[in-house]
Amino acid sequence: MRDNGRRLIEDFLPIKAISAEASREKSIRKGHISTLHLWWARRPLVACRAAVYGALVPASRFIPENGPDNKKQSLGRANAAKFMKRLCRYPSNSKPEVKADTECAIKEAQRHILEAHAERLTRETGKKVTVGDIEEGRASRPKVLDMFAGGGAIPLEALRLGCEAYALDLNPVAHIIELCTLVYPQKYGKPDSNVRGMTGPKNEKGETTWGGLAEEVLYWGNWVLKKVRAEIGNLYPLIPDPEGKKNGGYIQSEIGDDDVPPGYLVPVAYLWTRTVQCKNPSCGATVPLVKQTWLCKKKGGKKSPGRYVALKVIARKGEKKVRFEVVEATTEAGLGFDPSVGSKGGNATCPFCGTVADSGYVKAEGCAKRMRQQMMAIACTRPGARGKIYLSVEQTSSLLRSTSKMPVPPKEKIKRRIDELCKRTGLTVPNEPLVEKLTDQLPNYGMDTFQDIFTPHQMLCLLSFVAAMKDLEKYEHNYQGNYLKVISTYLGILVNRIASQNNAFCIYHTGRETLENPIGGHKLAMVWDFVEAAPFGRASGGVDNAIDWIISVIDSEMESIEPAIVKRGSATSLPWGNDSFDAVLTDPPYYDNIQYASLSDFFYIWMKRSIGAHYPEHFSTELTPKKNEAVASPWRHKGKDAARLNYELLMAQSFAEANRVLKPGGQMVVVYAHKTTLGWSTLVDALRRTNFEVVEAWPLDTEMKAGVVKVGKAMLASSIFLIARKREGAETGSYEEVVQPELERIVRERVDTLWKMGITGADLVIAAVGAGLRAFTRFARVEYANGEEVPAEKFLAEVEGVVLEALLERIFGLAGSGVAAVDGPSRFYVLWRYTYKATEMNAGEAIVFTYGQNVELDGRNGLSTGSRALVEKKKGKYRLYDFAERGDDEKLGMPGDGAPAPLIDALHRILWLIENEPRNLNRFLDEARPDRERLRLVAQALAG
């Protein structure tokens, strides 16, 4: 089918099918690139695959040549949906036949892309170009660029679909992740005798044959692990199994291996609480700040009892320090105490005298370096058995007494070993400062440097792994070229994985009984009880487990045709020529949502120590570069206005560069997942002013359902894929005569289409807004009749108003002016509930719902003022009141000043009366006399 220039992504995507698979992918682990190294807001691979395929394949690809003209488009979309459902599946954990069919679909997709590309090259060059020419290297493959590549999901899928993929990022940590995802597996993954590996299998003569990259990383990872175990393994002693005691000794259990002799437990996690000295000078006891003491909470089933394990705090008279006793039961009530009772908001009660150590006192003690840690318990595994075994510190000490070992040696002894290690190796502890928004809490407790994030026990462990890594340089002669550098890079990632689960801010997941990485969120928050991984344990925080995750990713991604071209640099100055790329697909920073550079400092400090010598050009600074990072950071730019202007400038420069390097007719796809209107208007205006026209918008689910319930957060259940083209010319559009009528048509069609697709809530609103932008962005300038330019934020408000009006018609089931009969406050309330349910919102998002409703949030007659306010305003945020909070007002819903009360007021009063005073309901209806038909519409809308 001839390529007429319009791409599939501009016409149709089966978003429900792709979204379902993208959401499922988030729960798939082994071999997925997200398990190599943490990177924030990484998009699902199948969503990226759909975007790459849709941006390169013509819309006409699936339209049948024969048949009725009025059915060709719908048949084409049905054909496209059928194929993309096969293509956009993540293969791991699938049935073999499903996996095989997906691989077959990927090969078909590669063919589709190359056929379309050959046709475009033929038109561009005037010479016939075939798919064979491309496959045999006589013509170029389609070039795809991601200029904010981050974790590498988009370029990886471009590689998978047979494209020439390019990845760029300013951040050094992201750059290393991209190399390990997009270059090294593809270049070094398969066995190659030219690099002289050491670890392959033996031949019949006993000689080592050459292994692939995964085997080399496995070999050297285990080599490092054994070396570190020999150095510091005595700090993590095996614990005699208390259930193995018999006749004064330990029975030989049936299970044992090279590392764990029979009759011993393996420690996998140490559970700690922070402490301060009691505020009462006559007491002076150690006060644990532990928030809760749960260790395991698992409900029982039909075939197995529940398991509830917690620590009971024991404060014995005459002692100055509590003990923690492990208590286990089959029901929560069976424990006999409430494990959730602990410190609240940093305020803790002394268990000996009852004096409260308030948060101000705790902060002062932290700043004075008097905050301490106390071990509460140890989680262990028994070889050959499932589940965790929990031991108190006292019980562990008793079991270890015969071995002359301690659960954890004294802090002073560990610090001496750190000093000796640093002196011997030239390493340094990470004294780099905690800056900006990695955390806004820790400095309040005297934690000013990265060294403060780790206990001495953890610090010695991490530095020991780095030191062992550096010993690999002695074996450089065994390899050709950069092969040892590549292996070391993966071991640097291994160190980062250890650091992410071996710090003083990990929390314990009591359902899965695993460690939770604290840096996975968007900042490092203060915690009062934390868990430390035992590096030699066979569990989620163990190093052998981390090595397995790394090599599984190498194995998964080494089948691409060629490695990607990965560069580090700024998107504001792309190192490629004009008209170089067939498509630019990128997932840029979302205004102020994630501070990538500050977050990645956590990993940068360890990469600098472990692999910095291999990459001096990327690790020469104290911390990650932040000056040219495209995020809105008020603390960096001394105010919100300056931060906004800087973000706008950097995004505009980046999009201008994208326009320069994109071929005429090529696609620009921008992923957006932020709900603030300020973020939207900034992004849209940057696209328009850099000569892009937004032609389509698709919402694709990219989050696990459990991850989207984040009240008050600027998050969506979906990412919006904005599709743009280079705009030709500099035409000015008349708002009243051209833009507004086109906007009405586009938005109403899009709301109708998305509604029928089952897209709802914020995803529908923002996707419809994105589609409506086409009417605005196809012009270089849009003017009112008086010649005044329509600014981006004003037009965005107009688009949102049209979207909300069309949506109200759908919600109420009324067309045309029928919705106008519903009053403004009621329309406002219904729209908010439909779009964001009970979520509180910042002013920018809340104001959107006033567009076209003839209502205001603040002021004399605002919805947030007066005794019968509909909206609560608190600390710059708004939330809707429900009927239980408003309905007891006897005047609510009653007419005033000759005008009927808002329908939502009458409904709230009715609901309250039904629950509390049903006998008074009829009297209220007689006096209030609400429009019962309109009231029914509002009630039905909220119920639906």
Side-chain angles (χ1 to χ4, degrees):
M1 186 65 66
R2 181 173 176 80
D3 181 357
N4 61 6
R6 185 171 170 80
R7 307 293 166 83
L8 182 61
I9 201 169
E10 295 175 278
D11 181 68
F12 173 74
L13 283 181
I15 53 181
K16 288 198 75 173
I18 298 170
S19 295
E21 189 64 16
S23 297
R24 187 185 78 86
E25 182 191 321
K26 285 278 185 173
S27 63
I28 296 172
R29 307 298 292 163
K30 208 78 170 181
H32 194 284
I33 61 168
S34 63
T35 64
L36 176 70
H37 192 292
L38 172 66
W39 193 256
W40 301 269
R42 197 191 314 243
R43 299 302 123 202
L45 298 179
V46 293
C48 299
R49 188 180 309 165
V52 173
Y53 179 80
L56 294 172
V57 171
S60 57
R61 169 89 219 179
F62 296 96
I63 298 177
E65 295 184 2
N66 302 317
D69 289 341
N70 63 340
K71 293 186 176 180
K72 282 185 177 181
Q73 186 179 50
S74 60
L75 288 171
R77 288 180 172 180
N79 293 336
K82 185 176 180 180
F83 175 74
M84 293 194 75
K85 286 178 184 178
R86 292 176 54 219
L87 174 66
C88 297
R89 292 182 293 199
Y90 190 71
S92 291
N93 297 350
S94 295
K95 296 178 181 178
E97 60 272 20
V98 174
K99 186 174 182 179
D101 185 57
T102 303
E103 292 172 353
C104 181
I106 289 172
K107 290 181 180 178
E108 290 179 47
Q110 292 172 352
R111 185 80 181 180
H112 297 170
I113 290 170
L114 294 187
E115 287 174 351
H117 187 58
E119 189 172 333
R120 287 192 288 270
L121 288 178
T122 297
R123 291 200 303 270
E124 290 173 9
T125 63
K127 298 179 181 179
K128 179 65 176 177
V129 177
T130 67
V131 171
D133 292 331
I134 299 172
E135 291 176 331
E136 294 169 19
R138 294 188 297 273
S140 66
R141 290 180 175 274
K143 295 181 179 180
V144 176
L145 168 66
D146 184 353
M147 51 203 263
F148 295 100
I154 291 173
L156 180 65
E157 288 307 312
L159 285 181
R160 201 185 308 278
L161 293 176
C163 302
E164 193 173 302
Y166 291 73
L168 181 85
D169 205 287
L170 178 65
N171 191 290
V173 176
H175 180 71
I176 297 300
I177 295 171
E178 290 158 18
L179 288 174
C180 291
T181 303
L182 306 169
V183 178
Y184 295 158
Q186 296 80 4
K187 191 172 182 180
Y188 300 103
K190 296 177 182 178
D192 184 352
S193 60
N194 291 324
V195 298
R196 293 187 61 208
M198 294 178 60
T199 66
K202 305 287 185 180
N203 60 22
E204 62 275 5
K205 297 181 180 180
E207 300 168 330
T208 301
T209 55
W210 314 125
L213 179 59
E215 288 148 332
E216 298 290 333
V217 172
L218 176 62
Y219 174 85
W220 287 110
N222 285 327
W223 183 88
V224 166
L225 178 58
K226 290 177 182 177
K227 187 175 180 64
V228 175
R229 183 186 278 118
E231 289 281 335
I232 64 169
N234 62 321
L235 301 182
Y236 305 87
L238 299 176
I239 301 170
D241 191 338
E243 294 185 12
K245 255 189 175 181
K246 187 176 182 182
N247 299 326
Y250 289 90
I251 63 170
Q252 295 290 304
S253 65
E254 296 180 0
I255 302 298
D257 58 32
D258 293 340
D259 300 318
V260 185
Y264 281 85
L265 301 177
V266 182
V268 294
Y270 302 90
L271 295 105
W272 298 81
T273 178
R274 302 186 200 279
T275 67
V276 293
Q277 189 174 14
C278 181
K279 193 176 181 180
N280 180 357
S282 64
C283 176
T286 296
V287 180
L289 302 177
V290 60
K291 187 176 180 180
Q292 57 86 29
T293 63
W294 278 110
L295 298 175
C296 178
K297 291 174 71 174
K298 292 182 178 178
K299 293 182 179 180
K302 293 181 178 179
K303 296 183 179 180
S304 60
R307 190 184 187 209
Y308 295 86
V309 188
L311 294 171
K312 186 176 183 179
V313 180
I314 308 296
R316 293 180 179 174
K317 188 176 181 179
E319 296 185 356
K320 295 293 184 179
K321 195 172 185 178
V322 300
R323 301 186 183 192
F324 294 93
E325 177 185 323
V326 177
V327 180
E328 183 167 350
T330 56
T331 64
E332 186 170 341
L335 292 173
F337 65 98
D338 184 358
S340 64
V341 176
S343 66
K344 296 186 182 299
N347 299 297
T349 302
C350 177
F352 294 94
C353 73
T355 301
V356 174
D358 59 87
S359 60
Y361 174 75
V362 172
K363 289 176 182 177
E365 289 294 282
C367 290
K369 305 298 181 184
R370 290 193 291 266
M371 187 181 289
R372 301 287 185 263
Q373 296 99 31
Q374 178 181 348
M375 189 186 295
M376 298 186 293
I378 300 175
C380 306
T381 58
R382 179 181 287 122
R386 298 183 64 182
K388 301 290 193 303
I389 297 160
Y390 297 98
L391 303 174
S392 69
V393 175
E394 286 73 19
Q395 185 181 12
T396 303
S397 297
S398 175
L399 291 167
L400 287 172
R401 191 167 293 125
S402 62
T403 65
S404 301
K405 294 178 181 178
M406 304 173 64
V408 174
K411 186 180 296 186
E412 293 71 22
K413 182 178 180 180
I414 297 176
K415 286 184 176 180
R416 284 197 299 271
R417 291 186 63 168
I418 292 174
D419 293 339
E420 292 168 1
L421 176 64
C422 291
K423 186 176 181 180
R424 185 177 77 249
T425 62
L427 292 172
T428 59
V429 296
N431 279 321
E432 292 88 345
L434 287 169
V435 297
E436 297 192 344
K437 286 294 178 178
L438 171 61
T439 177
D440 55 7
Q441 296 179 341
L442 303 193
N444 295 330
Y445 298 92
M447 301 179 186
D448 302 312
T449 71
F450 277 92
Q451 182 180 6
D452 298 321
I453 292 178
F454 305 93
T455 68
H457 203 222
Q458 296 165 338
M459 183 65 66
L460 178 60
C461 171
L462 287 161
L463 289 172
S464 296
F465 273 99
V466 174
M469 262 191 63
K470 289 185 171 295
D471 283 348
L472 261 69
E473 296 170 7
K474 300 174 184 176
Y475 300 91
E476 193 169 3
H477 63 277
N478 289 297
Y479 295 94
Q480 301 289 336
N482 292 327
Y483 203 71
L484 188 65
K485 172 182 175 180
V486 173
I487 296 170
S488 296
T489 305
Y490 283 102
L491 297 184
I493 282 181
L494 175 64
V495 171
N496 276 5
R497 291 183 65 102
I498 298 169
S500 69
Q501 297 205 319
N502 216 319
N503 59 76
F505 293 86
C506 287
I507 59 175
Y508 199 62
H509 193 293
T510 57
R512 295 192 296 267
E513 297 182 89
T514 56
L515 286 79
E516 295 284 310
N517 175 0
I519 206 70
H522 296 173
K523 66 172 58 177
L524 192 61
M526 186 65 178
V527 295
W528 304 115
D529 38 285
F530 63 92
V531 58
E532 170 189 356
F536 312 120
R538 308 274 175 94
S540 60
V543 177
D544 56 349
N545 185 276
I547 295 171
D548 287 343
W549 285 106
I550 292 171
I551 62 173
S552 68
V553 174
I554 298 172
D555 278 335
S556 295
E557 304 307 336
M558 68 182 188
E559 299 299 331
S560 297
I561 298 172
E562 293 289 340
I565 292 86
V566 173
K567 291 183 179 293
R568 183 175 158 244
S570 173
T572 62
S573 181
L574 299 178
W576 296 288
N578 297 348
D579 303 337
S580 299
F581 294 96
D582 298 276
V584 176
L585 295 91
T586 196
D587 183 8
Y590 309 140
Y591 196 62
D592 60 353
N593 201 33
I594 299 176
Q595 304 296 322
Y596 294 93
S598 297
L599 287 169
S600 61
D601 282 339
F602 179 92
F603 297 116
Y604 178 89
I605 60 165
W606 290 110
M607 278 188 168
K608 183 169 65 172
R609 286 163 173 77
S610 62
I611 60 173
H614 290 297
Y615 302 93
E617 69 276 27
H618 303 311
F619 294 95
S620 59
T621 56
E622 184 177 46
L623 293 169
T624 57
K626 299 176 178 66
K627 183 178 179 181
N628 293 320
E629 184 187 27
V631 295
S633 303
W635 53 91
R636 191 180 302 165
H637 299 285
K638 298 181 180 179
K640 290 184 178 180
D641 290 340
R644 176 179 59 82
L645 291 173
N646 183 74
Y647 177 77
E648 290 176 354
L649 174 64
L650 292 174
M651 290 307 297
Q653 290 175 344
S654 300
F655 288 155
E657 280 290 273
N659 191 292
R660 178 183 65 79
V661 302
L662 183 63
K663 289 181 179 180
Q667 299 290 295
M668 172 78 165
V669 180
V670 180
V671 186
Y672 191 78
H674 196 251
K675 76 183 182 197
T676 65
T677 52
L678 187 57
W680 259 106
S681 62
T682 300
L683 183 75
V684 170
D685 207 36
L687 283 167
R688 185 179 70 88
R689 292 185 182 280
T690 53
N691 296 318
F692 278 110
E693 172 189 355
V694 177
V695 296
E696 194 51 271
W698 298 103
L700 293 174
D701 282 357
T702 57
E703 305 297 329
M704 291 177 65
K705 297 305 178 188
V708 300
V709 188
K710 299 192 177 182
V711 176
K713 301 293 184 183
M715 290 193 63
L716 297 170
S718 296
S719 295
I720 308 300
F721 285 63
L722 285 175
I723 320 303
R725 277 183 174 268
K726 295 173 77 165
R727 186 177 59 240
E728 297 181 2
E731 186 180 355
T732 297
S734 167
Y735 178 71
E736 291 86 356
E737 295 179 4
V738 180
V739 176
Q740 192 174 41
E742 185 177 356
L743 169 63
E744 289 273 353
R745 178 185 61 78
I746 292 172
V747 165
R748 291 185 183 281
E749 181 277 329
R750 178 40 51 96
V751 169
D752 184 64
T753 300
L754 293 173
W755 187 283
K756 290 176 180 176
M757 286 180 164
I759 308 302
T760 60
D763 300 333
L764 186 152
V765 172
I766 293 186
V769 169
L773 295 172
R774 184 190 324 159
F776 179 57
T777 57
R778 74 183 184 91
F779 297 103
R781 177 183 172 93
V782 176
E783 293 180 349
Y784 292 116
N786 62 5
E788 181 184 343
E789 183 177 11
V790 181
E793 56 269 25
K794 176 64 176 175
F795 181 79
L796 189 62
E798 296 283 353
V799 176
E800 289 169 332
V802 174
V803 169
L804 296 179
E805 188 70 17
L807 184 56
L808 277 168
E809 292 179 6
R810 272 288 179 180
I811 294 171
F812 286 126
L814 297 171
S817 61
V819 174
V822 178
D823 60 272
S826 300
R827 289 152 53 106
F828 172 91
Y829 194 91
V830 168
L831 282 170
W832 186 321
R833 283 290 195 211
Y834 172 80
T835 308
Y836 293 121
K837 297 184 173 63
T839 303
E840 71 172 12
M841 288 191 287
N842 293 320
E845 297 94 281
I847 289 171
V848 169
F849 294 97
T850 67
Y851 295 158
Q853 311 308 326
N854 194 28
V855 295
E856 295 181 354
L857 283 173
D858 303 312
R860 183 178 178 183
N861 297 314
L863 299 179
S864 65
T865 56
S867 60
R868 290 183 286 279
L870 185 63
V871 179
E872 180 191 47
K873 182 180 181 181
K874 189 175 182 180
K875 295 182 179 180
K877 292 190 176 184
Y878 296 85
R879 75 171 183 90
L880 295 179
Y881 287 119
D882 64 23
F883 77 90
E885 297 173 287
R886 307 178 71 228
D888 61 345
D889 187 332
E890 294 182 354
K891 295 182 178 180
L892 189 71
M894 302 296 290
D897 298 327
L903 291 166
I904 190 63
D905 288 0
L907 180 60
H908 278 177
R909 178 63 176 164
I910 289 169
L911 293 173
W912 189 89
L913 287 170
I914 289 172
E915 283 200 358
N916 298 279
E917 299 176 6
R919 293 182 179 180
N920 294 329
L921 179 58
N922 286 333
R923 188 180 69 179
F924 168 76
L925 292 173
D926 290 340
E927 294 177 358
R929 303 179 68 83
D931 183 325
R932 298 198 180 195
E933 179 58 27
R934 299 300 178 201
L935 186 64
R936 180 184 63 79
L937 288 173
V938 173
Q940 284 181 339
L942 290 171

